[in-house]
Amino acid sequence: MSFNLFQGLTHAKAKEILLRDGLNTLTPPKVKPEWVKFCKNLFGGFSLLLWAGTFLSLMSYVMLAATSDKPDEENLYLGLVLAAVVIITGMFSYFQERKSSKIMESFKSMVPQFATVVREGEKITLRAEELVRGDVVEIKSGDRVPADVRIVECQGLKVDNSSLTGESEPQSRSPECTNENPLETKNLAFFSTNCVEGLGKAIVISCGDNTVMGRIAGLASGLETGDSPIAKEIHQFIRLITALACCLGITFFVVAFILGYHWLDAVVFLIGVIVGNVPEGLLATVTVCLTLTAKRMASKNCLVKNLEAVETLGSTSVICSDKTGTLTQNRMTVSHMWYDNQLIEADTTEEQTGEHNLNASLGYKALIRCGTLCNRAEFKPGQENIPVLRRAVIGDASEAAVLKYMEIALGDVMSIRKKNKKVYELPFNSTNKYQVSLHETEDLGDPRHLLVMKGAPERILEKCSTIYINGQEQPLDADMKESFNDAYLELGGLGERVLGFCDLMLPQDKFPKGFKFDAEEPNFPLTNLRFVGLMSMIDPPRAAVPDAVSKCRSAGIQVIMVTGDHPITAKAIAKSVGIISEGNETVEDIAERLNVPISQVNPRDARAVVIHGSELKDLTIHHTEIVFARTSPQQKLMIVEGCQRIGHIVAVTGDGVNDSPALKKADIGKLFYQRVAMGISGSDVSKQAADMILLDDNFASIVTGVEEGRLIFDNLKKSIAYTLTSNIPEISPFLAFILIGVPLPLGSIAILCIDLGTDMVPAIALAYEDAETDIMKQPPRKPGTDGLVNSRLIGMAYGQIGIIQSVAGFFTYFVIMAEHGFMPMRLVGLRKYWDSESINDLIDSYGQEWTYHNRKDLEHTCSTAFFVTIVVVQWAGLIIFKTRRNSILDQGMRNWPLNFGLLFETALAAFLSYCPGMEKGFRMYPLKFVWWLPGIPFSLAIFFYDEGRRYYIRHHPGGWWDRETYY
Amino acid sequence: MTSLVPTDSSQLTALKSYQTKLSKILLFYVLFYAALAGFFAAMLTVFYQTLDMNIPKWQLDGSLIGSNPGLGFRPMPPVENVESTLIWYRASDENYKYWTNELDTFLESECSPASYVLLTDKSCLLLTTIFAVVSAYRKPGILEGGGENSMACDYDQRPTGDKVCTVDLGTFGPCIPSTQYSYPQSHPCVFLKLNKVVTLHPATQSGIFNWNPHYYNDTEHLPELMPTDLKEFIKLKRDTNECFVPVCQMNTVWVSCQGENPADVENMGPVQYYPKRGFPGFYFPFQNKPGYQSPLVAVFFEKPAIGVLINIECKAWAHNIHHDRAERRGSVHFELMID
């Protein structure tokens, strides 16, 4: 194949190859077919148990049908109901799972990988999938190698092959073929490995599935990660509660068997107890909650790569933020100018628009003329419609800043430069520290040349003998120098980068039009110039950052700035965004204020500190406000580890390849900022290490993330508390049935209806609950002691609300029984006779005699009423679990999914009770209206008890209720 | 080595504060549950105010008990065998004693006839003190206060006021305690009773809510399924003109007992019913008056087959009693086996 290294492929050719070979992607690993996933939902875990129950019921029906001409149809219905329940919940969780995985898929595709390719002699950036064999690509540090490539030229190129070969050290690359083994030779770099250093040019030799990575089957899919803390916590909790349920279930099974129940009835008890105790809906609820949050966060520019990271972000206690681009706008901007012996502040906001002070001060005009002409930076072509500040610039950062400032101040800089033709240029170098250019002026009547110079202010000042002030040239005397120095120091103290400008009109006689200026031997004056002014530049902080930092502070999160910048710059930015808050001083500040040497200041007096990277070793932190300056990636890692050692949960932000070690170390919210606004995508390496990608580069988004994380944690707690609460009224009827021998107050099918029916929608709806107002005023939770499910939550759900609910259920049960003639005392110990089919004349408290079937009707009616009562008390349950601290009056009822949930559970309960045919399948009987009422006083009791509890918590923080019942 | 007893003082304080914390939580739950129990009791008390201690709140079709009473039989198998309906004994042995004792207790018990099966003596007492269902067939209806309110009734002599009808044990023919209910002679008696279903006092509630049997007192509308012997019996009664104005002696809930399968019919042999072939109408309705005695029919099996299990179904017959063998409505099932 013939090609030209500088030309690359033609577009047509590339298109042709792309059509032939297909996209440069790995064929996705064979995902489990949908039906397998579906079956997993249908037959996995508890479903299996329910299926067993179904099978047993149907089998016993068949057995009865074979031996008797008129078999009892109850078992048939029970079997059918069980099957229906399993299938419906299986489908529900399948669709939920599918929905959330689709959402997550769509997130992934929103973070595409790009490659820089040379085609038809032009450098273009395209999606890595569109690469074809033969393309010439450029690789630089931080990139993921987009295909298998052969290096043709490079400078200090190193790649990290660990994902392919497991070598942990970066491997250097060069154009020479050093080994016959493709994996050993130095001139090949492989798809999906990372470039960690240097840059190079390479030719694509194989794409997609033909790459080495593509051929190593299974590796591509082997990127699954371990469970995150919340997943662990939930799984552990579910396992625990399942084990408990199974133990209890088996105990009941054995007891029922001993009590002489038919084995099938005993199995129904077993299923009932397990179903009653295991929160089957919980996993689905958690997934739905997390997905909802991920969706909500995506709309706020946070892409969540790892669902559980949402929650862990909420427990963050320290954020290690880099400076550039996160706290700042990542573009140098002119912030101050000094001319006419005045210091003028420029607008540095993100949406900087409009005219600057065109007050026609001559000093200002001279300064901006200098800035416009003595500037090599240019806008990239084709950006006319983009706001000036967003345009891409060729040239270094400070020149770009000046260029943009001029473009805004003057309009079309390029045409001004054209009018003032550049005739000669002496570029910047580090020995001179200045740059010079010579121009013909736009004033056609003036044939003189203009010399403009810019550079390090002290060097520029040396070159000058006069200074231009208020339109007059004045000698540069000691006073003037003094005031220059003051201005220079002040700007330096603000951490700004300062440039000096001077100019000179060359005399026409010596330098006529067409004069040949010589570069090697400057044949024009470089001294006795006219000083015109200073411009200082800074990467200004983002507008939203100070607010976000103070929000973090009130949320108990320490914000630490880690930057490679100079300490002074770092401190200035830290102060301007509030990382070092107003009034807080560093040791240096105190020393300066008291005018004593630094060594005499007690470090404990200073609340803030700026730490130089080199001082990191002997670091003891007495300070609440910390800035790390001049830090290397290794040191950043040390900082993260140090914070973790003292028990913090650290979120790290970073975008460069340097940040990936620290990102990987940050045990939880690994964050990463992608620069979309700037058009520079964050490096692929850090993208891989991150759990969450903030699309708008903004530190404020991280606060949103923390808030969402805390919110979902709270809401999960609420949801779990709600779900667990109804376990007590589900299990206590069985206990009463076995222990005190009352007729069964609540049947197994009714329990299923609660767990998988009426409780499901409200539990999920709690995920939509708004944050309690004070969510960002609480300190972060302590991961060790403050788990998702803690003893206080169990105490609330099981010990308090659950018990009230049980009592409500039993009250309803006793009411209906008594109204029919069985007084509570009569029921105790009655189970044996009640359930005996041979007793056709069981006497009640009024002397009435009940046949077996009459009393079974009564029993099932009571069970239905118990079920309805659980729904009624769960209304209150749902409302009280909306808030953990606030009053419902503050919280309001604006959560519409939850309000729908209230209606839904009521409607479902009514449907189950009143729909004809339910008495056969579900053993649900129509209730008289008054039997809906006995639960209501208990519902109110729950509501007022918990309002009172929360009132006390609010008004006595740290009091007993707060310590022992705040879950 | 670690010691189980905390030695250093900080450990001790920690332990102590933990104990205080725990005891405070314990105290909280004690108080919480006490308050909850109080609330529950209060609610129950309020609820009790809505109840009438003599008449259940829901009756007949308003109640799940319905208006289609079942039948009960005596003697019943022992409590340990609660699922069984088999009366099984050997005439040569003394083991018929269990059954005759059961019947003795049934007819003598101070408790209601059904309750003794279900409750120990103590709880039976508890039941009767609360709900006055004293009912001993040997003694006339005795009130709690010791008064008497029973009277001998007949078709033309319905109970008046608070009075209840007596059941005269002398009318049961061979089914009396002195003959051991004929058990030793291998032709046992089984007593049948119609389930009591409370209905309101006719004076306070219109008649539609009263469960009164709707008797088969003519020969025109006898159901097809009615055993022919019963049909003939009713016709005979009709022919002998026992139903005359103003009181019809045929206002009776008729009773029939049959073998369930053809073989059972043969094995069962002839039966006789004492004192009448049914429950006389003057016992109805059941209004839960103190001292009320359920009418009884003693079924005398004249010559049951020996050594075979006989499935027997007895039915009560009235227009408003419907039969359903699976749900045991209007009927009762038991097995008889004499070795």
Side-chain angles (χ1 to χ4, degrees):
Chain A
M1 190 188 294
S2 69
F3 58 84
N4 182 319
L5 204 51
F6 302 102
Q7 284 298 313
L9 295 175
T10 61
H11 289 302
K13 181 80 180 165
K15 204 169 180 184
E16 185 193 321
I17 301 174
L18 188 66
L19 280 176
R20 190 190 67 198
D21 292 352
L23 288 173
N24 173 32
T25 48
L26 296 182
T27 312
K30 277 218 176 101
V31 287
K32 276 181 218 150
E34 290 295 306
W35 66 268
V36 171
K37 284 189 196 162
F38 184 69
C39 289
K40 218 178 147 191
N41 276 311
L42 214 52
F43 299 107
F46 293 107
S47 307
L48 217 55
L49 202 77
L50 297 180
W51 278 120
T54 312
F55 177 73
L56 290 172
S57 310
L58 293 179
M59 201 176 72
S60 77
Y61 172 73
V62 171
M63 269 158 47
L64 281 172
T67 51
S68 137
D69 52 338
K70 204 182 167 205
D72 188 0
E73 292 185 347
E74 200 168 277
N75 289 332
L76 176 67
Y77 292 123
L78 179 62
L80 292 180
V81 167
L82 281 172
V85 163
V86 191
I87 291 170
I88 290 168
T89 40
M91 292 209 305
F92 178 75
S93 52
Y94 166 73
F95 283 116
Q96 278 306 339
E97 195 176 274
R98 205 168 85 127
K99 212 168 124 194
S100 59
S101 72
K102 268 199 174 154
I103 290 170
M104 298 315 288
E105 269 320 293
S106 72
F107 285 179
K108 273 178 194 153
S109 64
M110 279 167 78
V111 204
Q113 194 198 346
F114 290 98
T116 310
V117 190
V118 179
R119 280 191 188 161
E120 293 186 356
E122 250 184 297
K123 251 189 243 179
I124 52 171
T125 303
L126 41 85
R127 282 166 165 269
E129 294 101 79
E130 293 167 33
L131 281 188
V132 296
R133 209 178 142 197
D135 262 330
V136 177
V137 292
E138 288 188 356
I139 310 167
K140 58 181 186 310
S141 80
D143 284 351
R144 209 162 77 113
V145 178
D148 281 4
V149 295
R150 200 182 84 216
I151 316 286
V152 287
E153 56 181 69
C154 69
Q155 289 147 27
L157 189 67
K158 278 190 179 174
V159 289
D160 174 8
N161 273 355
S162 58
S163 63
L164 196 61
T165 62
E167 294 161 292
S168 53
E169 285 295 304
Q171 308 290 304
S172 69
R173 289 293 149 203
S174 64
E176 301 86 44
C177 176
T178 56
N179 200 311
E180 294 211 345
N181 182 345
L183 281 173
E184 295 287 326
T185 182
K186 278 191 181 289
N187 65 339
L188 292 183
F190 300 104
F191 178 53
S192 91
T193 59
N194 297 314
C195 173
V196 291
E197 258 183 70
L199 49 92
K201 218 173 214 188
I203 295 164
V204 176
I205 54 170
S206 51
C207 283
D209 290 333
N210 295 325
T211 59
V212 173
M213 185 57 105
R215 272 176 275 160
I216 303 174
L219 246 186
S221 57
L223 292 168
E224 274 164 42
T225 48
D227 283 348
S228 72
I230 192 182
K232 268 186 214 149
E233 211 167 311
I234 290 170
H235 282 131
Q236 200 182 339
F237 172 67
I238 286 183
R239 222 170 293 143
L240 182 83
I241 214 156
T242 305
L244 198 87
C246 286
C247 283
L248 214 60
I250 288 166
T251 314
F252 271 74
F253 180 78
V254 171
V255 168
F257 216 78
I258 291 168
L259 286 173
Y261 276 90
H262 191 254
W263 62 270
L264 185 79
D265 291 328
V267 166
V268 171
F269 292 159
L270 174 77
I271 294 167
V273 170
I274 292 177
V275 163
N277 246 308
V278 174
E280 292 90 350
L282 193 61
L283 265 186
T285 310
V286 169
T287 315
V288 172
C289 289
L290 289 173
T291 312
L292 281 174
T293 310
K295 244 172 117 177
R296 191 159 51 197
M297 287 176 76
S299 70
K300 292 177 182 170
N301 283 323
C302 295
L303 278 197
V304 179
K305 266 176 66 189
N306 179 357
L307 262 188
E308 282 89 6
V310 180
E311 186 279 320
T312 36
L313 186 61
S315 52
T316 300
S317 56
V318 167
I319 298 172
C320 281
S321 173
D322 64 341
K323 179 183 83 75
T324 311
T326 307
L327 299 173
T328 67
Q329 299 171 21
N330 193 28
R331 53 167 176 253
M332 290 306 270
T333 307
V334 173
S335 58
H336 289 95
M337 281 175 290
W338 184 75
Y339 58 86
D340 291 351
N341 203 7
Q342 283 177 332
L343 198 57
I344 306 290
E345 201 172 331
D347 180 12
T348 53
T349 55
E350 274 144 284
E351 302 308 322
Q352 181 180 354
T353 50
E355 307 301 293
H356 288 273
N357 50 344
L358 284 176
N359 57 1
S361 146
L362 289 170
Y364 178 71
K365 278 190 172 163
L367 182 60
I368 62 173
R369 183 174 67 176
C370 239
T372 312
L373 297 179
C374 187
N375 193 332
R376 289 163 47 110
E378 281 175 34
F379 290 111
K380 283 186 180 166
Q383 303 189 85
E384 283 73 20
N385 298 323
I386 303 174
V388 173
L389 287 169
R390 300 230 178 132
R391 290 188 202 166
V393 174
I394 305 166
D396 86 23
S398 27
E399 290 212 310
V402 176
L403 173 67
K404 284 180 180 169
Y405 180 83
M406 297 310 158
E407 182 81 8
I408 290 168
L410 299 172
D412 195 350
V413 168
M414 287 306 161
S415 68
I416 294 172
R417 285 200 195 156
K418 257 180 217 151
K419 283 184 213 154
N420 298 278
K421 197 178 153 215
K422 190 193 283 179
V423 292
Y424 173 76
E425 176 175 58
L426 185 63
F428 183 88
N429 72 47
S430 50
T431 31
N432 291 343
K433 293 197 171 154
Y434 59 75
Q435 83 182 64
V436 178
S437 60
L438 288 152
H439 301 264
E440 292 168 357
T441 62
E442 62 187 319
D443 185 355
L444 295 173
D446 188 348
R448 291 180 299 173
H449 283 96
L450 172 69
L451 181 147
V452 283
M453 181 191 261
K454 100 172 166 214
E458 62 275 14
R459 292 304 303 267
I460 300 294
L461 196 72
E462 283 169 18
K463 304 274 179 200
C464 297
S465 57
T466 58
I467 182 162
Y468 191 59
I469 287 185
N470 298 330
Q472 281 156 29
E473 225 167 293
Q474 296 177 4
L476 194 61
D477 52 19
D479 277 359
M480 241 30 252
K481 279 192 180 162
E482 177 77 31
S483 74
F484 160 86
N485 261 326
D486 287 349
Y488 183 30
L489 277 176
E490 187 176 345
L491 293 175
L494 291 173
E496 302 189 357
R497 188 187 295 181
V498 191
L499 289 177
F501 293 85
C502 61
D503 64 2
L504 187 71
M505 295 304 286
L506 298 183
Q508 195 197 348
D509 49 345
K510 282 191 189 158
F511 305 96
K513 208 170 173 155
F515 179 83
K516 237 358 205 177
F517 293 100
D518 188 4
E520 299 302 317
E521 289 287 318
N523 52 356
F524 49 90
L526 283 172
T527 51
N528 292 328
L529 307 178
R530 179 180 73 162
F531 191 84
V532 291
L534 295 172
M535 277 192 188
S536 70
M537 276 139 285
I538 197 166
D539 183 6
R542 292 166 166 278
V545 171
D547 224 30
V549 170
S550 77
K551 232 178 174 178
C552 281
R553 188 156 290 147
S554 66
I557 301 166
Q558 202 177 356
V559 182
I560 293 178
M561 182 163 119
V562 182
T563 176
D565 278 4
H566 192 273
I568 291 177
T569 319
K571 191 170 136 192
I573 293 292
K575 279 195 163 168
S576 67
V577 298
I579 287 178
I580 295 178
S581 48
E582 225 165 293
N584 278 352
E585 294 175 312
T586 62
V587 177
E588 293 81 8
D589 291 334
I590 296 174
E592 198 181 322
R593 180 165 53 84
L594 301 174
N595 214 358
V596 293
I598 288 174
S599 55
Q600 287 184 16
V601 178
N602 181 359
R604 285 167 198 273
D605 291 344
R607 295 196 55 208
V609 70
V610 177
I611 296 165
H612 197 275
S614 57
E615 301 163 10
L616 211 58
K617 268 183 194 156
D618 40 58
L619 182 63
T620 47
I621 299 177
H622 320 291
H623 314 280
T624 50
E625 297 176 347
I626 308 170
V627 170
F628 291 95
R630 287 271 185 255
T631 35
S632 67
Q634 279 68 27
Q635 286 166 339
K636 192 166 185 178
L637 185 61
M638 279 171 62
I639 294 165
V640 171
E641 282 174 340
C643 290
Q644 284 173 341
R645 255 200 308 278
I646 54 174
H648 283 302
I649 289 187
V650 189
V652 174
T653 70
D655 52 6
V657 63
N658 311 339
D659 292 319
S660 56
L663 283 177
K664 275 184 184 154
K665 188 67 200 177
D667 47 350
I668 40 133
K670 297 169 198 154
L671 294 175
F672 155 69
Y673 286 63
Q674 191 194 20
R675 277 134 229 273
V676 166
M678 298 293 290
I680 308 162
S681 73
S683 73
D684 300 324
V685 182
S686 39
K687 247 186 256 175
Q688 282 177 342
D691 285 334
M692 200 179 291
I693 298 170
L694 304 186
L695 290 179
D696 62 354
D697 267 359
N698 194 341
F699 184 79
S701 306
I702 215 177
V703 181
T704 314
V706 171
E707 201 168 347
E708 290 291 342
R710 289 187 173 190
L711 177 59
I712 196 64
F713 187 78
D714 280 7
N715 285 353
L716 275 180
K717 265 192 173 188
K718 292 169 184 175
S719 186
I720 289 172
Y722 175 79
T723 314
L724 291 186
T725 299
S726 61
N727 280 0
I728 293 294
E730 283 164 17
I731 199 78
S732 52
F734 272 101
L735 287 174
F737 172 71
I738 297 286
L739 297 179
I740 60 168
V742 297
L744 186 62
L746 184 70
S748 306
I749 295 179
I751 293 178
L752 282 171
C753 289
I754 295 163
D755 270 9
L756 303 169
T758 58
D759 265 5
M760 206 74 164
V761 175
I764 291 171
L766 276 170
Y768 288 94
E769 192 58 38
D770 283 339
E772 290 179 49
T773 42
D774 57 359
I775 193 171
M776 287 302 274
K777 294 209 170 77
Q778 305 294 316
R781 71 187 181 98
K782 295 189 188 71
T785 57
D786 202 7
L788 190 62
V789 180
N790 51 34
S791 59
R792 294 180 299 283
L793 187 141
I794 296 285
M796 267 296 287
Y798 280 179
Q800 295 161 41
I801 308 300
I803 295 287
I804 301 181
Q805 294 193 344
S806 306
V807 172
F810 277 104
F811 179 63
T812 311
Y813 169 78
F814 286 139
V815 162
I816 296 179
M817 281 293 190
E819 284 185 351
H820 280 93
F822 289 93
M823 291 295 165
M825 285 313 294
R826 178 76 183 98
L827 292 169
V828 176
L830 194 61
R831 180 192 65 223
K832 199 171 181 179
Y833 311 103
W834 183 277
D835 286 341
S836 164
E837 224 169 323
S838 70
I839 295 178
N840 212 30
D841 54 350
L842 188 72
I843 192 161
D844 69 15
S845 304
Y846 288 94
Q848 300 191 99
E849 288 161 324
W850 292 70
T851 66
Y852 176 77
H853 283 272
N854 287 152
R855 46 185 204 267
K856 280 291 158 186
D857 287 349
L858 177 57
E859 176 188 321
H860 295 149
T861 304
C862 286
S863 167
T864 311
F866 203 114
F867 161 75
V868 161
T869 302
I870 292 179
V871 170
V872 168
V873 288
Q874 280 285 64
W875 294 341
L878 190 58
I879 289 168
I880 63 157
F881 285 124
K882 272 165 72 82
T883 56
R884 295 197 299 147
R885 180 179 287 270
N886 282 1
S887 164
I888 186 68
L889 298 175
D890 297 328
Q891 187 75 358
M893 292 295 287
R894 286 180 301 273
N895 181 350
W896 290 105
L898 186 136
N899 297 346
F900 168 77
L902 281 173
L903 277 180
F904 174 82
E905 64 174 333
T906 314
L908 183 61
F911 173 81
L912 286 172
S913 171
Y914 295 115
C915 178
M918 287 297 161
E919 66 267 22
K920 292 218 160 164
F922 285 81
R923 290 185 187 160
M924 294 277 191
Y925 281 62
L927 296 183
K928 291 183 201 291
F929 173 72
V930 286
W931 295 337
W932 286 71
L933 305 180
I936 287 176
F938 292 89
S939 221
L940 292 173
I942 290 172
F943 179 81
F944 287 113
Y945 164 70
D946 208 61
E947 273 294 319
R949 186 184 68 88
R950 277 176 280 130
Y951 178 87
Y952 201 87
I953 288 177
R954 284 196 305 278
H955 288 81
H956 297 86
W960 187 86
W961 290 90
D962 193 7
R963 275 181 286 121
E964 301 299 344
T965 69
Y966 181 63
Y967 53 95
Chain B
M1 230 189 81
T2 52
S3 157
L4 284 175
V5 183
T7 44
D8 87 68
S9 62
S10 74
Q11 249 175 312
L12 260 173
T13 23
L15 191 73
K16 258 195 187 145
S17 78
Y18 182 70
Q19 280 172 346
T20 341
K21 178 186 151 95
L22 218 61
S23 54
K24 269 188 181 169
I25 292 176
L26 210 66
L27 180 70
F28 163 72
Y29 276 105
V30 167
L31 293 176
F32 182 86
Y33 292 142
L36 186 58
F39 185 69
F40 178 70
M43 296 307 299
L44 215 54
T45 315
V46 169
F47 163 66
Y48 275 152
Q49 306 309 310
T50 68
L51 290 183
D52 184 324
M53 286 300 149
N54 289 314
I55 294 156
K57 180 155 186 165
W58 310 109
Q59 294 152 33
L60 303 178
D61 288 330
S63 161
L64 288 156
I65 199 168
S67 53
N68 197 17
L71 282 173
F73 75 95
R74 294 292 181 280
M76 287 189 79
V79 174
E80 302 80 60
N81 220 349
V82 76
E83 295 283 348
S84 163
T85 48
L86 172 63
I87 301 169
W88 179 20
Y89 74 99
R90 199 169 296 147
S92 51
D93 268 346
E94 288 277 288
N95 75 350
Y96 60 79
K97 277 276 177 217
Y98 167 75
W99 305 101
T100 54
N101 283 342
E102 282 294 292
L103 283 175
D104 286 345
T105 332
F106 169 59
L107 294 173
E108 276 179 4
S109 167
E110 296 247 333
C111 288
S112 80
S115 62
Y116 89 97
V117 186
L118 314 169
L119 303 163
T120 62
D121 284 345
K122 265 188 183 166
S123 53
C124 169
L125 275 175
L126 184 75
L127 183 70
T128 50
T129 47
I130 301 172
F131 294 109
V133 275
V134 182
S135 157
Y137 286 95
R138 285 232 175 136
K139 302 167 203 159
I142 294 168
L143 290 175
E144 259 176 291
E148 207 196 292
N149 66 341
S150 62
M151 59 176 281
C153 308
D154 207 338
Y155 290 100
D156 54 355
Q157 235 178 328
R158 293 188 60 81
T160 51
D162 283 340
K163 302 261 173 174
V164 294
C165 300
T166 47
V167 175
D168 185 358
L169 290 186
T171 56
F172 286 115
C175 302
I176 47 171
S178 55
T179 63
Q180 306 244 41
Y181 312 98
S182 301
Y183 274 66
Q185 292 81 39
S186 298
H187 22 85
C189 291
V190 174
F191 286 78
L192 299 179
K193 52 186 248 322
L194 194 64
N195 280 1
K196 288 185 285 183
V197 178
V198 169
T199 50
L200 281 174
H201 199 280
T204 57
Q205 194 75 36
S206 66
I208 194 167
F209 292 106
N210 288 300
W211 191 83
N212 270 311
H214 186 191
Y215 309 104
Y216 290 116
N217 50 12
D218 54 28
T219 47
E220 271 88 73
H221 300 103
L222 298 182
E224 236 175 87
L225 289 170
M226 187 183 270
T228 36
D229 69 316
L230 182 55
K231 279 183 188 163
E232 274 158 20
F233 180 80
I234 294 169
K235 272 179 198 148
L236 190 73
K237 284 267 173 194
R238 175 90 219 168
D239 295 346
T240 53
N241 206 13
E242 284 193 28
C243 193
F244 55 85
V245 187
V247 182
C248 180
Q249 299 236 354
M250 284 172 72
N251 281 349
T252 301
V253 178
W254 307 109
V255 165
S256 71
C257 285
Q258 278 192 305
E260 283 185 5
N261 304 307
D264 296 323
V265 174
E266 202 168 301
N267 291 332
M268 191 181 84
V271 289
Q272 288 181 36
Y273 306 90
Y274 296 96
K276 293 185 186 323
R277 196 177 175 172
F279 306 105
F282 49 81
Y283 285 97
F284 303 106
F286 168 55
Q287 289 164 340
N288 207 18
K289 285 188 210 161
Y292 177 84
Q293 294 176 329
S294 271
L296 297 175
V297 171
V299 183
F300 177 57
F301 293 90
E302 280 182 52
K303 217 173 181 179
I306 303 294
V308 245
L309 184 98
I310 312 164
N311 288 299
I312 298 157
E313 185 183 38
C314 296
K315 289 178 176 167
W317 294 93
H319 281 295
N320 55 354
I321 295 178
H322 307 280
H323 301 117
D324 183 326
R325 186 178 283 179
E327 293 200 2
R328 303 246 191 284
R329 295 203 295 177
S331 64
V332 70
H333 162 96
F334 59 89
E335 299 109 48
L336 193 60
M337 186 157 161
I338 304 159
D339 284 340

